[in-house]
Amino acid sequence: MGRYSPLEVRYKRVILKLSGEALAGQQGNGINYDVVLEICKNIKTAVQTLGVQMGIVVGGGNFWRGVKNGEGRMDHMGMLATVINALALADALESLDVPVRVQTAITMEQFAEPYIRNRAVRHMEKDRVVIFGCGTGNPFFSTDTAAALRAAE
Protein backbone atom coordinates (compact mmCIF):
# COMPACT_ATOMS: atom_id res chain seq x y z
CA MET A 1 0.00 0.00 0.00
CA GLY A 2 1.14 3.49 -0.81
CA ARG A 3 1.24 6.45 1.49
CA TYR A 4 -1.89 8.50 1.97
CA SER A 5 -2.08 12.27 1.98
CA PRO A 6 -3.66 13.83 5.10
CA LEU A 7 -6.92 14.51 3.23
CA GLU A 8 -7.16 11.23 1.33
CA VAL A 9 -9.90 8.93 2.59
CA ARG A 10 -8.76 5.43 3.36
CA TYR A 11 -12.10 4.07 4.61
CA LYS A 12 -15.58 5.01 3.43
CA ARG A 13 -17.32 4.24 6.74
CA VAL A 14 -15.80 4.61 10.20
CA ILE A 15 -16.79 4.18 13.82
CA LEU A 16 -15.36 6.81 16.13
CA LYS A 17 -15.16 5.94 19.83
CA LEU A 18 -15.23 9.01 22.05
CA SER A 19 -14.64 8.71 25.77
CA GLY A 20 -16.91 10.71 28.02
CA GLU A 21 -13.82 12.28 29.56
CA ALA A 22 -12.92 13.78 26.18
CA LEU A 23 -16.14 15.81 26.31
CA ALA A 24 -15.29 17.19 29.75
CA GLY A 25 -12.04 18.80 28.66
CA GLN A 26 -9.75 20.08 31.42
CA GLN A 27 -12.58 20.26 33.95
CA GLY A 28 -12.57 16.44 34.16
CA ASN A 29 -16.32 15.91 34.52
CA GLY A 30 -19.55 17.13 33.02
CA ILE A 31 -19.61 18.58 29.52
CA ASN A 32 -17.44 21.41 28.25
CA TYR A 33 -19.47 22.61 25.29
CA ASP A 34 -16.51 24.44 23.73
CA VAL A 35 -14.56 21.16 23.67
CA VAL A 36 -17.56 19.31 22.24
CA LEU A 37 -17.91 21.93 19.51
CA GLU A 38 -14.22 21.58 18.55
CA ILE A 39 -14.57 17.79 18.33
CA CYS A 40 -17.69 18.23 16.20
CA LYS A 41 -15.93 20.63 13.82
CA ASN A 42 -13.45 17.85 13.06
CA ILE A 43 -16.30 15.38 12.59
CA LYS A 44 -17.96 17.83 10.19
CA THR A 45 -14.75 18.04 8.14
CA ALA A 46 -14.50 14.25 7.92
CA VAL A 47 -18.14 13.87 6.91
CA GLN A 48 -18.80 16.86 4.68
CA THR A 49 -15.38 17.55 3.18
CA LEU A 50 -13.96 14.05 2.94
CA GLY A 51 -17.25 12.17 2.47
CA VAL A 52 -16.73 9.73 5.34
CA GLN A 53 -19.83 7.93 6.64
CA MET A 54 -19.53 8.09 10.42
CA GLY A 55 -20.97 6.35 13.43
CA ILE A 56 -19.94 7.46 16.90
CA VAL A 57 -19.96 5.41 20.08
CA VAL A 58 -19.69 7.67 23.09
CA GLY A 59 -18.76 6.77 26.64
CA GLY A 60 -20.16 8.22 29.84
CA GLY A 61 -17.12 8.43 32.12
CA ASN A 62 -17.45 12.19 32.50
CA PHE A 63 -20.63 11.50 34.51
CA TRP A 64 -20.34 7.93 35.75
CA ARG A 65 -17.55 5.39 36.11
CA GLY A 66 -18.25 1.69 36.34
CA VAL A 67 -18.40 0.29 39.86
CA LYS A 68 -17.18 -3.19 40.74
CA ASN A 69 -19.56 -5.44 42.66
CA GLY A 70 -22.55 -3.49 41.40
CA GLU A 71 -25.85 -5.11 40.62
CA GLY A 72 -26.17 -4.12 36.98
CA ARG A 73 -28.11 -0.98 37.85
CA MET A 74 -24.78 0.76 38.20
CA ASP A 75 -24.07 -0.15 34.58
CA HIS A 76 -27.50 1.13 33.60
CA MET A 77 -26.59 4.47 35.18
CA GLY A 78 -23.50 4.51 32.98
CA MET A 79 -25.64 3.79 29.93
CA LEU A 80 -27.80 6.80 30.76
CA ALA A 81 -24.65 8.92 30.99
CA THR A 82 -23.79 7.89 27.42
CA VAL A 83 -27.19 9.14 26.26
CA ILE A 84 -26.55 12.55 27.84
CA ASN A 85 -23.27 12.71 25.92
CA ALA A 86 -24.87 11.48 22.70
CA LEU A 87 -27.48 14.23 22.91
CA ALA A 88 -24.79 16.85 23.58
CA LEU A 89 -22.84 15.70 20.52
CA ALA A 90 -26.00 15.68 18.41
CA ASP A 91 -26.85 19.22 19.52
CA ALA A 92 -23.37 20.49 18.66
CA LEU A 93 -23.34 18.73 15.27
CA GLU A 94 -26.75 20.13 14.40
CA SER A 95 -25.53 23.64 15.33
CA LEU A 96 -22.85 23.09 12.65
CA ASP A 97 -25.48 21.99 10.09
CA VAL A 98 -24.43 18.34 10.21
CA PRO A 99 -27.37 15.93 9.87
CA VAL A 100 -27.34 13.53 12.83
CA ARG A 101 -29.37 10.74 14.40
CA VAL A 102 -29.05 9.30 17.90
CA GLN A 103 -29.77 5.62 18.37
CA THR A 104 -29.81 3.82 21.71
CA ALA A 105 -29.41 0.16 22.58
CA ILE A 106 -32.13 0.58 25.23
CA THR A 107 -35.46 1.92 24.06
CA MET A 108 -36.06 5.54 24.98
CA GLU A 109 -37.99 6.83 22.00
CA GLN A 110 -38.66 10.27 23.46
CA PHE A 111 -34.92 10.99 23.11
CA ALA A 112 -33.62 8.78 20.33
CA GLU A 113 -34.35 6.04 17.85
CA PRO A 114 -33.90 2.45 18.96
CA TYR A 115 -30.73 0.89 17.59
CA ILE A 116 -31.54 -0.97 14.39
CA ARG A 117 -28.52 -1.92 12.34
CA ASN A 118 -30.12 -1.49 8.91
CA ARG A 119 -31.53 1.89 9.89
CA ALA A 120 -28.12 3.04 11.15
CA VAL A 121 -26.49 2.00 7.86
CA ARG A 122 -29.21 3.77 5.86
CA HIS A 123 -28.70 6.98 7.86
CA MET A 124 -24.98 6.85 7.13
CA GLU A 125 -25.66 6.23 3.43
CA LYS A 126 -27.73 9.44 3.52
CA ASP A 127 -24.70 11.29 4.99
CA ARG A 128 -26.10 11.48 8.50
CA VAL A 129 -23.82 10.96 11.47
CA VAL A 130 -25.20 8.26 13.74
CA ILE A 131 -24.41 8.49 17.45
CA PHE A 132 -24.85 5.30 19.45
CA GLY A 133 -25.82 5.57 23.11
CA CYS A 134 -26.26 2.98 25.88
CA GLY A 135 -23.28 0.89 24.83
CA THR A 136 -24.42 -2.62 23.96
CA GLY A 137 -27.53 -2.28 26.12
CA ASN A 138 -26.19 -4.98 28.43
CA PRO A 139 -24.61 -4.56 31.84
CA PHE A 140 -20.99 -5.65 32.41
CA PHE A 141 -19.79 -4.48 28.96
CA SER A 142 -17.93 -1.24 28.30
CA THR A 143 -18.61 1.20 25.49
CA ASP A 144 -15.31 -0.02 24.01
CA THR A 145 -17.08 -3.35 23.48
CA ALA A 146 -20.00 -1.49 21.91
CA ALA A 147 -17.62 0.28 19.52
CA ALA A 148 -16.13 -3.03 18.40
CA LEU A 149 -19.61 -4.55 18.03
CA ARG A 150 -21.01 -1.63 16.02
CA ALA A 151 -17.94 -1.64 13.78
CA ALA A 152 -18.35 -5.37 13.10
CA GLU A 153 -22.05 -4.90 12.40
Side-chain angles (χ1 to χ4, degrees):
M1 259 192 258
R3 296 186 54 114
Y4 288 84
S5 72
L7 295 178
E8 190 174 350
V9 176
R10 196 171 196 177
Y11 299 101
K12 178 181 176 180
R13 186 175 298 147
V14 299
I15 294 291
L16 173 65
K17 168 53 170 81
L18 288 175
S19 70
E21 290 91 341
L23 305 181
Q26 294 295 329
Q27 65 195 35
N29 58 34
I31 296 174
N32 181 325
Y33 199 75
D34 292 332
V35 170
V36 172
L37 204 53
E38 283 304 311
I39 291 169
C40 289
K41 287 176 184 175
N42 288 308
I43 292 167
K44 178 179 180 169
T45 298
V47 172
Q48 292 184 348
T49 303
L50 301 176
V52 173
Q53 297 176 0
M54 187 173 299
I56 301 170
V57 175
V58 63
N62 53 326
F63 290 110
W64 186 257
R65 268 278 136 223
V67 178
K68 291 184 179 185
N69 302 323
E71 289 294 325
R73 286 188 181 90
M74 301 293 182
D75 283 335
H76 289 127
M77 292 167 68
M79 289 180 221
L80 292 172
T82 70
V83 175
I84 293 169
N85 288 335
L87 295 173
L89 284 168
D91 185 65
L93 286 166
E94 286 174 344
S95 77
L96 297 170
D97 296 320
V98 177
V100 63
R101 295 294 186 272
V102 176
Q103 291 191 342
T104 55
I106 294 176
T107 304
M108 47 184 72
E109 292 181 29
Q110 289 82 354
F111 303 119
E113 298 177 4
Y115 171 70
I116 299 170
R117 181 198 174 280
N118 289 342
R119 185 178 285 175
V121 169
R122 186 70 182 127
H123 285 317
M124 285 187 260
E125 289 172 348
K126 290 184 173 186
D127 298 323
R128 298 175 186 136
V129 173
V130 182
I131 305 171
F132 303 105
C134 294
T136 66
N138 300 294
F140 314 115
F141 291 92
S142 74
T143 52
D144 292 343
T145 303
L149 179 61
R150 298 296 175 246
E153 290 175 333

